[in-house]
Amino acid sequence: MNIGVDAAALGMSNAVVSHTGDVNSGYWNPAGLLKMEDRQLSLMHASYFANIAQYDYAGFAMPLDDRSAVGVSLIRFGVDDILNTTQLIDSQGNVDYNRISLFSTADYGLTVSYARALPLDGFNYGVNAKIIRRVIGKFASSWGFGFDLGVQYQTQDEWKFGLMLRDISTTYNVWAIDEDEYKKIKDAVPGQNQELPETSEITLPKAQFGLSKKFIIRYDYSLLAAANLNMQFARTNDIISTDVVSIDPALGFEAGYIDLVFLRAGVGNFQKITQIDNSSNVSFQPNIGIGFKYKGIQVDYALTDIGDQSAALYSNIFSLKLDFSIFR
C-alpha cells in the first residue's frame, strides 16, 4: 500500500498529494475525487525484481453531485508459482522431485473512498476505508482494516495544497496460521521456525504534505511543479530523521503540450545509507515518465530508479485511464 499507483504519479516521484484530481485520487488523496466531471476507470501494471513480482491496480470513481464523489480501487502485489521444496526429501532421506509443489503469496488492498466539498471555499476533504488481505499459500493468511483522511485546498491564484493522513486509526492485521502446514516446514531448516510467528501486525500512521502550481507558457505549453514531504512518526533512514518524525522529501515536474503530450521527471526516496566502514552517504530514487492523452483516453509510462542510484531495482510501469465522458 506504500508503493503508489498510476504511472503519471510515479513518474513525478509520487509528489501529487496536492494536485491529484482523477480516479487515482482514491489512493493519493481522496479529496481530489471532487475534481472529476464524469466516471473514470484506471488500470496499471508493473513488474518488480526482474519480473518475479507482479503489481496490479484497478480503480473506478464517479461524482455523485457537484459536492461529492465516490470511488473504489483494488491493488494486488504478488509472487506466483513459488517452488515449495520443504518436502523434497522424504522420511528415508531420498530426493523425490514429485514432492515439489507450487504456491503463491500475495497482498490485496481494497479501498472505498468518499469525497465532499467543505463549506469553506477552496477546501475539499475525503476519507478511505481499507480492507487488507494477505495470503501466503496454504501456510497463513490475514485480514486487516484501516482508514485514511485527505484534505486539499486551492487558493485564488491556483496554488494547491494537500494533506494526506494514512492509517490514521492504525491498520491492524490479524493472521491465521495453518498449524498442520506449519508443522511440515518447522524442521525444514534445523533450529529455525521452531515457534509460531506473531499473529498480529500493526501499520502506524503516516502523513504526506504537498504543494504544487501549474504555470501556463504561451497558451500551448504548461509546467506543473510539485513537492511532497512524506512523514513517518518514528526514526528511520530518511534524510531528515528524529525520534518524533522522519521526513523524506520528493520533487516532481510535468511539462505538457496542448494537454496532449506530457514529459515527467521526479526525485524522491532520499535515504541515509551507512557503509561497512561506518561512513554514510545519501541515496535517492530518480524517475521519469511520458504520457499521451486524447479526448478521454490517457496512456502513461514511467521508469523508476534510473541509473541505480538507490538500492532498489528499476521498474517499467504502464497505466491507462479512461474518462467516460467520451461516450457522451
Side-chain angles (χ1 to χ4, degrees):
M1 299 299 290
N2 290 328
I3 296 174
V5 302
D6 181 29
L10 295 169
M12 296 180 65
S13 292
N14 304 342
V16 299
V17 170
S18 60
H19 67 268
T20 180
D22 57 17
V23 57
N24 302 304
S25 299
Y27 177 91
W28 294 112
N29 188 336
L33 292 173
L34 285 170
K35 297 177 183 177
M36 296 186 307
E37 297 181 356
D38 207 326
R39 294 173 293 168
Q40 291 184 358
L41 173 70
S42 181
L43 302 171
M44 188 196 79
H45 173 75
S47 297
Y48 285 81
F49 312 119
N51 293 326
I52 294 175
Q54 306 301 316
Y55 182 58
D56 296 286
Y57 157 80
F60 175 80
M62 57 183 286
L64 296 177
D65 51 44
D66 60 349
R67 297 189 63 81
S68 60
V70 295
V72 61
S73 65
L74 178 65
I75 293 174
R76 180 188 187 271
F77 189 98
V79 179
D80 299 306
D81 297 332
I82 303 170
L83 292 176
N84 180 2
T85 60
T86 58
Q87 304 300 308
L88 176 62
I89 303 176
D90 63 22
S91 59
Q92 304 300 318
N94 301 313
V95 175
D96 185 356
Y97 292 102
N98 292 322
R99 294 166 62 91
I100 296 176
S101 59
L102 301 176
F103 71 97
S104 297
T105 178
D107 292 351
Y108 300 86
L110 175 66
T111 302
V112 179
S113 308
Y114 175 77
R116 188 164 182 83
L118 287 168
L120 298 173
D121 187 37
F123 278 95
N124 299 325
Y125 78 93
V127 294
N128 287 337
K130 302 185 296 187
I131 298 175
I132 310 299
R133 174 67 169 166
R134 308 186 71 185
V135 180
I136 306 176
K138 297 180 180 179
F139 305 108
S141 62
S142 75
W143 289 96
F145 191 77
F147 291 95
D148 302 330
L149 173 65
V151 179
Q152 285 185 336
Y153 172 66
Q154 180 173 326
T155 66
Q156 293 184 350
D157 55 357
E158 297 189 349
W159 278 95
K160 297 179 180 179
F161 300 86
L163 177 65
M164 180 63 169
L165 303 176
R166 297 187 179 275
D167 305 299
I168 56 174
S169 59
T170 67
T171 295
Y172 190 73
N173 271 62
V174 178
W175 284 88
I177 300 171
D178 189 316
E179 295 193 23
D180 290 334
E181 292 294 328
Y182 175 76
K183 290 178 182 178
K184 296 178 182 179
I185 65 171
K186 182 176 181 180
D187 296 315
V189 179
Q192 296 187 22
N193 299 322
Q194 299 301 303
E195 297 181 1
L196 287 171
E198 295 289 335
T199 57
S200 61
E201 188 176 28
I202 297 176
T203 302
L204 297 177
K206 296 177 287 292
Q208 294 175 296
F209 173 77
L211 74 161
S212 61
K213 185 174 176 60
K214 188 173 185 178
F215 303 91
I216 304 299
I217 305 169
R218 295 184 179 179
Y219 303 103
D220 291 338
Y221 299 91
S222 64
L223 177 64
L224 172 64
N228 261 26
L229 294 178
N230 304 307
M231 294 169 275
Q232 299 185 64
F233 301 102
R235 181 178 287 276
T236 68
N237 286 334
D238 290 340
I239 191 171
I240 302 172
S241 183
T242 69
D243 291 333
V244 177
V245 63
S246 297
I247 302 175
D248 168 31
L251 298 173
F253 301 91
E254 178 187 78
Y257 173 67
I258 61 173
D259 203 31
L260 177 69
V261 181
F262 304 92
L263 179 63
R264 306 180 181 97
V267 61
N269 195 25
F270 291 89
Q271 301 286 306
K272 292 184 291 186
I273 306 298
T274 301
Q275 306 298 323
I276 296 178
D277 60 0
N278 288 326
S279 63
S280 63
N281 58 14
V282 175
S283 71
F284 59 92
Q285 179 175 319
N287 304 325
I288 60 170
I290 58 174
F292 176 80
K293 181 168 69 173
Y294 179 70
K295 294 185 177 180
I297 301 175
Q298 181 170 333
V299 179
D300 296 295
Y301 166 78
L303 178 65
T304 68
D305 198 27
I306 307 161
D308 197 26
Q309 291 295 322
S310 71
L313 300 175
Y314 72 87
S315 296
N316 298 287
I317 302 169
F318 298 89
S319 66
L320 170 70
K321 185 174 68 177
L322 177 65
D323 193 314
F324 283 77
S325 61
I326 64 173
F327 300 113
R328 298 185 183 277

